[in-house]
Amino acid sequence: MPVTKLHFLVAEDHDFQRSVLVRMLENLGAKEVHEAVDGRAALAIVKDPARPVDIVISDLDMPGMDGMEFIRHLGESAIQVSLILASSLERKLLASIQTMTEAYGIRLLGVVEKPLTPAKLEILIGLHKPAQAKPNRARAAGPSFTLEEIAAGLKNDEFEPFFQPKVELATGKVKGAEALARWRHPQHGIVAPYAFIKLLEDGGLIDDLTWVMLRKAAGFCRTWRATGLDATVSVNLSLKSLSDVKIADHVTELVRSQNLEPRHMVLEVTESAATTDVGKALENLARLRMKGFGLSIDDYGTGYSSMQQLTRIAFTEIKIDQSFVTNAAKQESAKVILKSSLDMAKNLKIAAVAEGIETQTDWNLLRQLGCDLGQGYLIARPMESSAYLDWVRGWKQLG
């Protein structure tokens, strides 16, 4: 959208800096620029239907309502504007505020250090897209179900795995897929895990889903391996299941009953797995590894005990949480954590998998840092089993 058709708001307590920004916008072609001396005044303007605003350019360190409080109120009010943050604060703090802003659901065009130049400003304005109506929240949340309805769905064999490919970044070869639970509901179509996982865990029925996922994922993996695709399948193992001392034997028997060798399956557990019912969890995980299963520590880096778990359990893989992958190209601190995680995995001689690869920039950085495997929307979204082999045949390496 041309600058001439956009409405701007400059929130800056320093009169001279505010006037410089206003003139800068006018020189770029802006016809309507509102001004505010702090967050409270800025909030009043964006809430006023008589004064439409497309892009807010805000300072952070302002008296009264500062920029961070303004961002919070902006997010809570669900007002659809784009935001540019300009500040002289240190880069690490700006990166933290950027993450906070995105967490509030605000469309952030950029965070820049002062002084803001016309060239920088023009680039950021160019990233703005017209606001779209937000979907109805109740509708977006999807239908809710009772435990009895979910149990009936399990009994009727309505649950199945969707597969998200895992590829080797250095070569682009498909090395496996993660099996993600989906409910093919007869009325509501494909239902995502948020609608049933917690209810199943709280209701003591999570093992019922685990058996379905293990059996079907093993069967599909056996099928694609028979076509010559040398790839593994990863299945999530609930923490609740690890309290049963016989779980390792049951998993092994079930997988072998599908004519799949345990070494072709990776079992993913969250990094807190061994913090509850420690003895039984460690016994089960050790036995599963002894049987030949790969073990993956999921969402690595999101809990306090990550490194401790690596000393307790014979993991063969770590899955680096997508928050570090997504932010690594933008935030130095996230990049440092990502690099240190990859270095640690290499030194421990275990594979590193990056979750949530969504851009070519993410892919390029991970390859540069020597990450082993990756998965994410840039590569492919989770897909039905019937589509997986066709996707593999059509896959072309990125970059």
Side-chain angles (χ1 to χ4, degrees), residues 269-288:
V269 293
T270 60
E271 63 178 73
S272 59
T275 63
T276 55
D277 219 345
V278 177
K280 291 177 182 177
L282 293 177
E283 179 183 349
N284 273 315
L285 291 169
R287 184 169 284 113
L288 287 165

Side-chain angles (χ1 to χ4, degrees), residues 104-174:
Y104 277 124
I106 297 170
R107 290 177 299 161
L108 186 65
L109 302 182
V111 181
V112 290
E113 295 179 73
K114 290 183 177 180
L116 188 56
T117 65
K120 289 179 183 177
L121 190 55
E122 190 171 22
I123 291 171
L124 294 178
I125 292 172
L127 299 176
H128 170 77
K129 295 180 181 179
Q132 296 179 346
K134 289 190 175 181
N136 179 276
R137 292 197 172 200
R139 185 177 175 185
S144 58
F145 303 96
T146 65
L147 181 62
E148 290 72 23
E149 289 173 318
I150 299 169
L154 282 166
K155 186 177 180 181
N156 295 332
D157 198 28
E158 295 168 0
F159 287 79
E160 63 185 72
F162 272 40
F163 296 97
Q164 186 171 39
K166 294 164 65 175
V167 302
E168 189 173 59
L169 272 72
T171 65
K173 291 181 180 178
V174 178

Side-chain angles (χ1 to χ4, degrees), residues 164-169 178 296-300 317-326 328 338 341-342 351-358 362-363 365-367 369-377 379:
Q164 186 171 39
K166 294 164 65 175
V167 302
E168 189 173 59
L169 272 72
E178 181 179 0
S296 178
I297 182 168
D298 200 8
D299 299 331
Y300 180 79
E317 173 185 287
I318 63 170
K319 295 193 76 174
I320 301 170
D321 186 71
Q322 65 179 11
S323 62
F324 299 112
V325 175
T326 302
L338 173 62
S341 299
L342 294 174
V353 182
E355 295 184 283
I357 301 177
E358 296 187 352
D362 295 338
W363 172 279
L365 178 60
L366 288 161
R367 284 192 68 184
L369 295 177
C371 183
D372 300 302
L373 303 168
Q375 68 182 90
Y377 284 0
I379 300 164

Side-chain angles (χ1 to χ4, degrees), residues 175-324:
K175 303 299 287 185
E178 181 179 0
L180 300 163
R182 297 292 186 269
W183 183 4
R184 193 179 291 277
H185 195 280
Q187 280 81 46
H188 299 288
I190 302 301
V191 178
Y194 73 85
F196 55 82
I197 291 292
K198 189 174 189 308
L199 278 170
L200 286 172
E201 288 185 331
D202 293 345
L205 297 179
I206 192 63
D207 281 351
D208 293 0
L209 178 62
T210 298
W211 301 133
V212 170
M213 292 294 292
L214 287 167
R215 174 173 56 81
K216 292 188 175 182
F220 287 125
C221 185
R222 179 201 66 226
T223 299
W224 73 54
R225 291 189 65 82
T227 69
L229 177 62
D230 184 15
T232 61
V233 66
S234 299
V235 180
N236 288 281
L237 194 59
S238 170
L239 307 189
K240 301 282 187 181
S241 302
L242 291 171
S243 61
D244 177 2
V245 292
K246 295 182 179 179
I247 191 74
D249 291 333
H250 290 164
V251 170
T252 304
E253 290 169 10
L254 187 148
V255 170
R256 284 183 171 154
S257 74
Q258 297 299 306
N259 297 315
L260 185 73
E261 289 297 318
R263 61 193 173 90
H264 296 142
M265 180 175 282
V266 178
L267 299 171
E268 297 188 7
V269 293
T270 60
E271 63 178 73
S272 59
T275 63
T276 55
D277 219 345
V278 177
K280 291 177 182 177
L282 293 177
E283 179 183 349
N284 273 315
L285 291 169
R287 184 169 284 113
L288 287 165
R289 185 71 194 101
M290 188 170 62
K291 299 286 187 182
F293 290 95
L295 294 179
S296 178
I297 182 168
D298 200 8
D299 299 331
Y300 180 79
T302 58
Y304 71 93
S305 57
S306 305
M307 293 186 184
Q308 183 185 42
Q309 304 310 348
L310 286 171
T311 64
R312 287 177 163 184
I313 302 166
F315 285 111
T316 57
E317 173 185 287
I318 63 170
K319 295 193 76 174
I320 301 170
D321 186 71
Q322 65 179 11
S323 62
F324 299 112

Side-chain angles (χ1 to χ4, degrees), residues 73-137:
H73 287 298
L74 201 59
E76 290 173 348
S77 63
I79 296 170
Q80 296 200 51
V81 296
S82 293
L83 180 65
I84 296 172
L85 295 176
S87 178
S88 55
L89 297 172
E90 61 176 292
R91 288 187 179 183
K92 281 187 177 181
L93 183 52
L94 289 177
S96 177
I97 295 169
Q98 176 178 347
T99 303
M100 178 202 77
T101 304
E102 292 169 348
Y104 277 124
I106 297 170
R107 290 177 299 161
L108 186 65
L109 302 182
V111 181
V112 290
E113 295 179 73
K114 290 183 177 180
L116 188 56
T117 65
K120 289 179 183 177
L121 190 55
E122 190 171 22
I123 291 171
L124 294 178
I125 292 172
L127 299 176
H128 170 77
K129 295 180 181 179
Q132 296 179 346
K134 289 190 175 181
N136 179 276
R137 292 197 172 200

Side-chain angles (χ1 to χ4, degrees), residues 335-354:
K335 183 178 179 180
V336 169
I337 293 171
L338 173 62
K339 187 177 185 303
S340 65
S341 299
L342 294 174
D343 290 342
M344 182 186 61
K346 183 177 181 180
N347 291 333
L348 291 173
K349 296 180 172 56
I350 60 178
V353 182

